[in-house]
Amino acid sequence: MTNDTTTVPAAPHAQAMRTEHDCIGTMDVPANAYWGIHTQRAIGNFTVSGISDMQHPQMIRAYATVKRACAEANEELGLLDHERARAIAAACLEIEGGALADQFPVDVLQGGAGTSLNMNVNEVIANRALEIAGHAKGDYGYIHPNDHVNHSQSTNDTYPAACKIALVDALGPMAEETRKLSRAFHDLADRHANDVTIGRTQLQDAVPMTFGQEFHAFASFLKTDIAELEALVPQLTVLNLGATAIGTGICADLRFRNAATEHLARITGLPIRAASDPIASVTDMSAYIAVSQTVKNLAIHLKKAADDLRLLNSGPHAGFNDLTVPARQAGSSIMPGKVNPVIPECVDQCCFMVFGMDTTVTWAASEGQLQLNAFDPVMAHALLEGIGVLTRAMAMFRERCVEGITVHTATGLRYANSSPSIAAALNGEIGYEHAADIAKEAMETNRSVREVAGERTDLPADRLDALLDPITLSRRLGQTCREHR
C-alpha cells in the first residue's frame, strides 16, 4: 500500500452571474460586468481580429459624449425625467474621463453597422447610471439601455456621430506632430541654407541646389498637409442625430434633432451642425473618404522624405553619402560595423499600412447599398489605427532621425562643382550644342565644366565664374529656404 500525497486542487468558485433577456432568448452575464446580454452575444459572435473597441479610446469617449448630449436633449424636451437624465449624464462623464474602459470588449470587426458597440455603450451607461441612482446592475425597469439611454436614437445616427468626433480627436495630435516635424525640417534647412549640393532627377546628377532647399521642400509638403488636416474638421462635424434608422426620424421626437445637435456642439466646442439631407447622410461616406485621402497624402509625403533620406545616406563608401542619419542599432547579424537607416525604414512600413487603410476605406465606403452603409466599423477602425500609427511614426522620425542628421557639406560642394549638368548654365551664352560638348568632355576627362569651358570658350574667367557659381545657380528664384516666422 502506498501513500498518495498528491493534492487535488479545489474547484474554482463559480463566477457570479445575472440573467438577462433579449429578442432571441436569455443569457447569463457576469454579475460584475457593466455590459449586458447584447454585448455578451457580440463577444461570442465576433472573434476575428483580437482587437476590441476599447483599444480605440477616442471612439469610446466620443460615444459617451454623444450619449450625454442626447440625454440632456431628452431632458430638455421633457422626454427623460431629471433623475434618470442626471444619472445617465454622470455615467457618460465618467466614461469620457476614462472610467470603465475595460467594459467595451467587442471585436472592432463587428457585423451590424456598429449595433454591437452602440448596445454595449447603452448597457454600460445604463448599468453605471443605475449604480449612481442607487439601483442594482440589470434593474432595467428603472433605467433601460434602449428606452432611456438610447431614447430618440439609433445606431445609424449615433455610431457615425461618435466616429466623426473620434476622428476629430485623433486628427488633433496628428496635426501637432506634423507641425513639429515640419519645424524640424525647417530648422535643418535653416542650418544649411548656404551649403550647396547637387540636385538629381531620375536619380541622375542635375543642377545645383542647397541642402537647405532640399530639406525646406519636405517642410513645405508637411505645411500643406497641416492645412488639409485642419480643413477636415468642418466635414467631420456635419452629423445626423435624430435621423435614426434610415434618415426619416422614426421613433424620435421631431424637436430632438435640433436639441441634440445644439447640446453636442456646446459640449464639444466643435462647429457641429445637422446634415441638410438626413436620408442621404445615412449612406454618405464622404467625410471618411476625405480623412482617408488626406492621411494617405501625408503618408506619401512622409514616405518621400524617408526614401530620400535613405538614398542620401546610402553608402557611405559606395553611395551618395550626402548625409548621415543617426546610428540606432547594428545593421547586420553577419556584417560587422554595418548600420542601416532603420528609422526611415520603419516610417516606410507605417506608410504602407496607411495605403492599405485607404484601400479598406475606399471599398467599405462604396458598399452603401440602399438606405444604409453597414461598414462603418471597419472604416472607423482602419482610420483610427492608421492615424495613430502615422502620428507615432512622425514623432519617432523627428526625434530619432531628422533632429540628428549630419550633413556632409564638403561632399555636397564637390558634387555640385563636378557635375557635367552644370553646363546648362552656359546655354544662354554659347548655345545648347556647344554646352553639351563641354559637358561630354568634362565627363570623359573627369574634369570640371569650369575647366573645360575655360579652354573651349572665349568667355572671360570672371564671367565663367559668375555663370557657374553653384550657390548663385541654386537661387535663381531668390529662394533662401528660411522660414518666415
Side-chain angles (χ1 to χ4, degrees), residues 21-25 37-38 41:
H21 71 274
D22 62 8
C23 63
I24 297 176
I37 187 171
H38 299 286
R41 289 198 191 280

Side-chain angles (χ1 to χ4, degrees), residues 214-231:
E214 193 159 25
F215 300 135
H216 180 84
F218 300 151
S220 293
F221 289 148
L222 296 173
K223 283 182 68 176
T224 300
D225 292 319
I226 293 166
E228 293 299 319
L229 289 170
E230 291 173 345

Side-chain angles (χ1 to χ4, degrees), residues 420-431:
S421 296
I422 203 173
L426 302 175
N427 288 351
E429 300 282 339
I430 64 175

Side-chain angles (χ1 to χ4, degrees), residues 415-426:
Y415 286 161
N417 285 326
S418 63
S419 171
S421 296
I422 203 173
L426 302 175

Side-chain angles (χ1 to χ4, degrees), residues 186-197 208-215 407-410 412-413 416 469-472 474-475 478-482:
H186 273 311
D187 290 344
L188 188 60
D190 287 350
R191 291 197 296 274
H192 296 285
N194 298 312
D195 295 321
V196 74
T197 184
M209 67 185 303
T210 67
F211 282 108
Q213 290 168 324
E214 193 159 25
F215 300 135
V407 175
H408 302 159
T409 56
L413 181 61
D469 175 46
I471 194 70
T472 301
S474 72
R475 291 186 177 157
Q479 188 181 16
T480 61
C481 311
R482 284 192 168 88

Side-chain angles (χ1 to χ4, degrees), residues 314-359:
S314 63
H317 303 295
F320 286 7
N321 194 33
D322 285 32
L323 55 80
T324 300
V325 300
R328 291 299 175 190
Q329 60 188 58
S332 173
S333 62
I334 189 173
M335 293 174 279
K338 187 174 187 291
V339 177
N340 296 329
V342 293
I343 301 300
E345 288 172 354
C346 183
V347 171
D348 271 358
Q349 292 176 84
C350 295
C351 293
F352 303 156
M353 290 188 67
V354 169
F355 300 156
M357 171 209 77
D358 184 63
T359 300

Side-chain angles (χ1 to χ4, degrees), residues 412-485:
L413 181 61
R414 175 166 54 84
Y415 286 161
N417 285 326
S418 63
S419 171
S421 296
I422 203 173
L426 302 175
N427 288 351
E429 300 282 339
I430 64 175
Y432 176 88
E433 298 293 343
H434 194 182
D437 289 340
I438 290 173
K440 181 179 179 182
E441 183 175 333
M443 187 163 49
E444 290 174 346
T445 61
N446 198 27
R447 293 188 294 163
S448 70
V449 167
R450 170 66 181 83
E451 185 178 355
V452 175
E455 297 174 358
R456 296 194 54 181
T457 72
D458 296 327
L459 294 172
D462 59 349
R463 180 61 179 156
L464 281 173
D465 289 340
L467 287 170
L468 297 173
D469 175 46
I471 194 70
T472 301
L473 291 174
S474 72
R475 291 186 177 157
R476 295 281 294 172
L477 297 179
Q479 188 181 16
T480 61
C481 311
R482 284 192 168 88
E483 175 76 341
H484 299 294
R485 306 196 188 198

Side-chain angles (χ1 to χ4, degrees), residues 301-312:
H301 287 155
L302 288 174
K303 182 179 181 300
K304 190 255 190 305
D307 286 348
D308 282 6
L309 292 180
R310 290 178 71 212
L311 278 173
L312 296 173

